[in-house]
Amino acid sequence: MSDIPTAPVIVADEPGTFPHAVLAERHPAIIRQVREAFPYEPARHRALDALLAECAGGTVRPLPADAHDRERWRTWGMDTYAGRSWYDVPWLWSESFFYRRLLDAVGYFGPGPWQGVDPFRPAKLAELDSPATDEELAALDGLAGRPEDEQAAALLHGSLWGNRADLGFRLSAEEAGRAAAVPALVADDSERLWTLLTTSSAPTLCLVADNAGRELVPDLLLVAHLLAHGRIGRAVLHLKPYPYYVSDATTADLLDAVRRLTGAGGMAAEYGRGLWAALRDGRLALRTHPFSCSPLPYADMPHDLRADFAAATVTVVKGDLNYRRLVGDRYWPPTTPFAGVTRYFPGPVAALRTLKSDVITGLVAGTEAALTAAEGQRWRTAGTHALIQVRT
């Protein structure tokens, strides 16, 4: 990346910034939420209280000596950052380590009665089972009468916007958004993505998933549609090996989502049955690589994960956190070329992301100027804008 300008790594040491607010406000709120999620015994409460105090004013403590993944985290920087303030280490690292420490506090890795119990599961299921999800799934039946290319485009936008888009079925709203002075979609390489899939024989789509619940459902609907209509021959879905960032999708979350589809009736059930069949016959494969929960950018991915991505026709990276890991969690100038910062990736890669953090690349100067003039810097983090970027 010698021709790409350097940019500082994001840390959370400056009050008033988005990363500082996450550590100072969101993480304590998550600890309080987890305390109420299950009837944890006093020892678990004490561990949560200790983590809360540590995050508020203490320094990073390493994992216990008997932690099963202690050596892995040592290679991921634990020895370097232990003893420093949570606010003075790279933000991506401190966020990731917070979730690992939170799982330790609730006994997720055991041994004990809370081993394997997802502390975020009640919130995930409440969202998945909400009436709003019923309404969105019912909208699939209206989409079924559209031409296939319109269906595919709508489902792509559903995957992009997640639960903010009514699964992307309101195409007229998308058309109106394109005409706005400050478009909701700040970069749109969707045609390049379709071209990638249509110029290969039985293409393989690799999808690096983001959130569970009502955001995983449209991802699965897109995959189901592409498989059912022969746009892809196979899909590989990368999930988290354990609960992470509150709502990131695990295998259990995937199964909950597929069951939700099959129980919904109509087109949703048809897609759900198609996904179940694809899982059984191997057309839909699952991956839960440990690196998916690492605090590192994808530029540092291990060789086996690199080989998995290299085998795909295209890898679609979903969501804000995965985008940060794809391009590097840095204060890039927004016009930094997306193709340049992803040059290391071992095959064609696409990013589908709503903007919820400061990291951004690949904007044209006019778009950046219009966004800043209209909204200041809020456009970077509010989740009101999105992008589809592709590097072939």
Side-chain angles (χ1 to χ4, degrees):
M1 297 189 210
S2 59
D3 57 339
I4 300 298
T6 57
V9 172
I10 295 177
V11 294
D13 59 344
E14 186 178 344
T17 63
F18 184 71
H20 188 278
V22 169
L23 267 61
E25 301 168 17
R26 187 165 190 258
H27 285 184
I30 289 167
I31 292 174
R32 291 190 289 269
Q33 172 189 323
V34 166
R35 282 176 61 98
E36 303 302 320
F38 292 102
Y40 292 117
E41 70 270 19
R44 304 272 68 87
H45 280 228
R46 287 193 295 271
L48 288 168
D49 290 343
L51 179 60
L52 179 61
E54 180 185 325
C55 292
T59 58
V60 176
R61 295 177 58 188
L63 292 175
D66 60 352
H68 74 283
D69 54 352
R70 182 181 171 88
E71 286 305 309
R72 181 181 296 148
W73 275 94
R74 289 186 66 192
T75 67
W76 289 347
M78 185 175 69
D79 288 354
T80 300
Y81 300 128
R84 295 171 59 178
S85 167
W86 287 84
Y87 294 88
D88 292 335
V89 303
W91 183 43
L92 178 62
W93 196 94
S94 60
E95 278 195 292
S96 296
F97 196 58
F98 167 78
Y99 287 102
R100 175 59 186 86
R101 289 286 307 283
L102 182 62
L103 292 183
D104 198 58
V106 299
Y108 180 86
F109 292 109
W114 297 103
Q115 185 178 43
V117 177
D118 183 349
F120 311 123
R121 183 169 171 79
K124 291 175 178 177
L125 290 178
E127 181 185 270
L128 189 63
D129 294 336
S130 68
T133 304
D134 288 322
E135 295 173 8
E136 291 169 354
L137 294 179
L140 275 169
D141 295 331
L143 185 66
R146 304 259 191 153
E148 192 277 330
D149 60 340
E150 288 190 15
Q151 294 183 44
L155 290 168
L156 178 65
H157 280 269
S159 178
L160 171 66
W161 287 103
N163 60 13
R164 285 197 61 251
D166 293 336
L167 299 184
F169 300 151
R170 298 178 181 175
L171 296 181
S172 59
E174 292 292 342
E175 293 295 338
R178 292 190 188 100
V182 182
L185 199 56
V186 300
D188 185 5
D189 292 340
S190 53
E191 288 306 315
R192 297 178 69 189
L193 177 60
W194 295 129
T195 299
L196 273 173
L197 293 176
T198 56
T199 54
S200 301
S201 176
T204 295
L205 170 69
C206 186
L207 178 65
V208 181
D210 185 33
N211 291 331
R214 285 174 60 202
E215 294 192 35
L216 180 60
V217 164
D219 295 342
L220 295 177
L221 292 173
L222 175 63
V223 169
H225 179 88
L226 298 178
L227 285 169
H229 290 268
R231 284 186 174 243
I232 59 174
R234 185 169 179 265
V236 181
L237 185 63
H238 282 252
L239 302 162
K240 298 299 190 294
Y242 52 79
Y244 191 60
Y245 276 73
V246 179
S247 56
D248 279 25
T250 65
T251 302
D253 299 323
L254 166 80
L255 297 175
D256 287 337
V258 173
R259 290 192 181 102
R260 182 73 164 89
L261 289 173
T262 55
M267 280 298 300
E270 186 173 329
Y271 278 132
R273 289 190 293 270
L275 289 165
W276 194 272
L279 285 164
R280 289 179 60 124
D281 64 27
R283 287 176 297 124
L284 175 55
L286 306 181
R287 299 282 188 273
T288 54
H289 198 287
F291 192 79
S292 294
C293 289
S294 85
L296 304 176
Y298 276 108
D300 296 334
M301 76 180 87
H303 294 299
D304 60 335
L305 186 57
R306 176 176 291 272
D308 210 20
F309 291 145
T313 306
V314 61
T315 297
V316 173
V317 173
K318 272 298 309 295
D320 194 79
L321 172 62
N322 286 325
Y323 187 87
R324 291 165 57 194
R325 297 186 68 198
L326 176 67
V327 304
D329 202 35
R330 295 173 176 269
Y331 284 116
W332 296 111
T335 54
T336 302
F338 176 74
V341 295
T342 58
R343 184 181 304 147
Y344 71 90
F345 205 84
V349 62
L352 270 62
R353 173 226 184 181
T354 53
L355 278 56
K356 298 178 183 177
S357 69
D358 290 299
V359 179
I360 185 71
T361 67
L363 296 192
V364 299
T367 299
E368 180 197 358
L371 288 164
T372 303
E375 305 175 29
Q377 295 301 314
R378 186 175 178 275
W379 62 269
R380 292 173 175 261
T381 59
T384 53
H385 297 280
L387 58 79
I388 302 172
Q389 292 175 326
V390 177
R391 193 227 73 204
T392 55

